[in-house]
Amino acid sequence: MAAAVTRPGALLTAQWRRLVMLNYEVDPAVLRPRVPRGVELDAHDGRHFLSAVAFQFLDTRLLGVPVPFHRDFDEINLRFYVRRRADEGWRRGVVFVKEIVPRRTLAAVARIAYGERYVARPMRHRINLPGEARSGADAPEGLVEYSWHERSGPQRVRATVSGAAETPAEGSHEEFITEHYWGYTARRHGAAVEYHVTHPRWNVRRADDAALECDVEAVYGREFAPPLAAAPASAFLADGSAVTVHRPTRMRARG
């Protein structure tokens, strides 16, 4: 596995791999109260999406230095899509509703550095992809599953994938979901934080069977229960790549 390259301004480098992406159409009115000042909701073909994304965070390094006992872990997040007009054009990004990781230290560092809504929960995964070592002796072929535990019981994101990985077509729904390279977080007094995430384009594979099995109201909030109760509008597995997450900066809304 090739390590991510540390670039000027980089705070964190890692490998993001085997990303299960379940995408749900959502009424934009549900999202607007969470949109930071200075950005606006982004849509594809007039539709707004909320995505449950679960993946492996591997070879994690802060300022180029491996973090003992915190290099490899899973993350599950719920996110939606925004954009901001900058001098060079539109910056397309995401806003996170909540991010789940398995260790308290990871959650604390992310909350402090980026202001994101991280929490720590016990987590595990089962992965059995053709041509790869199986993670989980009971995982059927093609399964990619990430799970965590809440007080109400076990929760999980799962998908069974098939077919060869392909680069999404330009302008496609899959490209829209995977090609957002900025993160935005609302802070106190109306300010917002912006940070850049860089990585090559990801190949994706179709998911034939996918589900978010979760107590949505308890984990994410009552407003997200209706959209996440429906079947996902799309589901796929992104292979992932090395990534670089740059230092956050405060921004001011134009005008």
Side-chain angles (χ1 to χ4, degrees), residues 18-38:
R18 303 170 189 88
L19 296 93
V20 175
M21 310 186 86
L22 310 186
N23 312 297
Y24 299 82
E25 191 167 0
V26 60
D27 185 336
V30 174
L31 306 177
R32 287 193 185 105
R34 295 176 179 263
V35 176
R37 288 180 58 185

Side-chain angles (χ1 to χ4, degrees), residues 21-127:
M21 310 186 86
L22 310 186
N23 312 297
Y24 299 82
E25 191 167 0
V26 60
D27 185 336
V30 174
L31 306 177
R32 287 193 185 105
R34 295 176 179 263
V35 176
R37 288 180 58 185
V39 302
E40 63 184 57
L41 289 172
D42 199 2
H44 184 256
D45 289 340
R47 303 164 70 197
H48 295 83
F49 292 95
L50 186 66
S51 296
V53 181
F55 62 102
Q56 293 181 291
F57 222 121
L58 306 175
D59 192 26
T60 306
R61 298 167 185 258
L62 285 174
L63 299 175
V65 179
V67 183
F69 309 110
H70 294 78
R71 290 183 64 178
D72 299 341
F73 54 92
D74 297 339
E75 177 177 314
I76 299 171
N77 63 59
L78 186 67
R79 73 187 201 182
F80 61 91
Y81 302 91
V82 296
R83 63 181 186 172
R84 180 173 86 88
R85 176 75 77 177
D87 292 339
E88 74 278 9
W90 286 109
R91 292 181 175 179
R92 300 172 66 189
V94 301
V95 174
F96 293 100
V97 176
K98 180 180 282 188
E99 293 149 291
I100 303 170
V101 291
R103 298 184 180 94
R104 292 181 181 178
T105 302
L106 295 170
V109 169
R111 286 195 299 266
I112 293 169
Y114 292 97
E116 295 288 10
R117 301 170 181 86
Y118 271 84
V119 298
R121 300 287 187 268
M123 301 180 72
R124 64 187 295 268
H125 64 256
R126 295 192 299 157
I127 299 173

